Amino acid sequence: MDIFEKNNLNILDLPDEILLIIFNKLNTIDALYSLVDVNERFNRLVFNALHIHNLDTTNMVIRSYYDRRFSIDDNILSKICEKILPRIYHQLNELIVEQNSVKHIFRTGNYPQLDSLSLIDFQKEILFQYLTGNRILHHLLTQQIQHLNIDVSYDPNSKGSKILSSIFALILFKCQRLINLNICQLFYDRKAPIRISKFPSTSCTYSTLIKLKVNVITFDDCLYLLDGRLEHLSTLIIDVKKISFNFSDKNK
């Protein structure tokens, strides 16, 4: 090979082994968006190389300490949902979804292998609507999901949302196979608190949980969680917003 030929090499001239190394260095979404359907060779290498079992459809951009955006570009989202998800949804084990993409992600397929789900940067009201109204999400939560992460949009003035408390109760009631729940502890500066002690004593059971991360208002909420419902729990991580000496009768 002469000097002219060497200087005009392009990516298509690289052997499969080198291409696989390059593809595996890329973010999965970037690799799928940029390389799928370029040609048959790229399709074969991308899908075989990535062994796509985990898909993160978020792209976090930090604008300030409290202002974060997780949405991906609409063109990227459109291609992922229309041309790529139908090819891989049946093999996904883990899925990370943000609010703007959720309606597209959960109309593609039933995700038969999915057992880990993260719902990121949701407004509380919209999250509640999806948890109660989306057929595919309902099936996943009741029949499959074992690991669930919830993150809601940050509200520095929040004093314990009734909607967030309802979401917590709904998850515990609906997710019959849930063993690991992280609700609003994914980011250290976005710990939305939940008022739990006001739940009716029969409102929820969660004996399947092994690990729980949650933020609460007072120690009464902690005591409510420990009142005989966490039969199999081995890890409990609680952030208490307000510490006082006025405990309920449960502390006696």
Side-chain angles (χ1 to χ4, degrees):
M1 181 180 294
D2 59 29
I3 295 177
F4 178 80
E5 290 175 329
K6 291 181 180 179
N7 290 337
N8 284 275
L9 286 174
N10 62 54
I11 193 171
L12 295 176
D13 297 315
L14 296 174
D16 286 356
E17 293 78 8
I18 301 299
L19 288 177
L20 289 175
I21 294 173
I22 295 173
F23 293 171
N24 282 317
K25 294 292 184 181
L26 297 175
N27 173 278
T28 302
I29 287 291
D30 292 337
L32 292 172
Y33 176 74
S34 302
L35 301 173
V36 168
D37 290 339
V38 170
N39 56 49
E40 288 299 323
R41 183 186 179 205
F42 275 19
N43 280 355
R44 173 175 56 80
L45 292 175
V46 167
F47 288 116
N48 289 337
L50 296 177
H51 300 293
I52 306 167
H53 298 293
N54 308 321
L55 186 64
D56 184 351
T57 64
T58 67
N59 179 32
M60 184 173 67
V61 176
I62 301 178
R63 299 183 179 181
S64 69
Y65 185 77
Y66 291 121
D67 186 8
R68 301 181 182 185
R69 296 292 182 268
F70 293 81
S71 301
I72 62 176
D73 181 82
D74 287 342
N75 291 327
I76 296 177
L77 178 62
S78 178
K79 180 175 181 179
I80 293 295
C81 293
E82 294 177 8
K83 297 185 177 181
I84 297 173
L85 264 182
R87 307 184 194 183
I88 64 173
Y89 76 89
H90 61 282
Q91 66 192 51
L92 291 177
N93 301 122
E94 180 180 359
L95 185 60
I96 304 175
V97 185
E98 51 82 32
Q99 179 176 296
N100 292 327
S101 62
V102 65
K103 65 180 179 181
H104 304 286
I105 298 296
F106 288 124
R107 69 182 182 191
T108 300
N110 289 322
Y111 302 94
Q113 302 300 320
L114 196 72
D115 62 13
S116 179
L117 176 64
S118 297
L119 302 173
I120 306 296
D121 200 35
F122 276 74
Q123 295 178 18
K124 294 182 285 290
E125 297 81 3
I126 293 178
L127 177 59
F128 187 78
Q129 291 175 9
Y130 272 98
L131 291 176
T132 56
N134 184 275
R135 178 185 60 81
I136 293 178
L137 186 55
H138 172 80
H139 173 81
L140 289 171
L141 292 174
T142 56
Q143 303 296 325
Q144 294 179 211
I145 297 301
Q146 299 182 46
H147 308 272
L148 180 63
N149 299 304
I150 298 290
D151 171 68
V152 298
S153 302
Y154 180 75
D155 180 4
N157 299 315
S158 175
K159 296 181 180 180
S161 166
K162 290 183 179 179
I163 294 179
L164 190 56
S165 297
S166 298
I167 288 172
F168 183 62
L170 179 65
I171 288 171
L172 296 178
F173 175 76
K174 178 177 289 190
C175 300
Q176 301 299 311
R177 301 190 63 193
L178 193 62
I179 61 174
N180 185 352
L181 174 61
N182 182 336
I183 181 162
C184 300
Q185 277 202 21
L186 290 175
F187 306 99
Y188 68 93
D189 56 346
R190 293 162 62 95
K191 295 184 176 180
I194 300 173
R195 188 175 297 280
I196 300 173
S197 60
K198 301 298 183 181
F199 288 172
S201 59
T202 58
S203 64
C204 55
T205 58
Y206 31 95
S207 60
T208 61
L209 276 180
I210 295 175
K211 183 176 182 179
L212 173 62
K213 291 184 177 182
V214 65
N215 311 302
V216 299
I217 305 294
T218 68
F219 273 121
D220 279 353
D221 299 311
C222 298
L223 296 172
Y224 183 93
L225 284 173
L226 296 172
D227 192 17
R229 295 176 176 83
L230 303 171
E231 298 177 7
H232 302 291
L233 200 70
S234 61
T235 303
L236 176 61
I237 301 174
I238 300 179
D239 187 282
V240 183
K241 183 175 182 180
K242 181 180 178 181
I243 299 177
S244 69
F245 295 100
N246 297 320
F247 301 119
S248 70
D249 292 338
K250 293 178 182 179
N251 197 37
K252 297 179 180 179

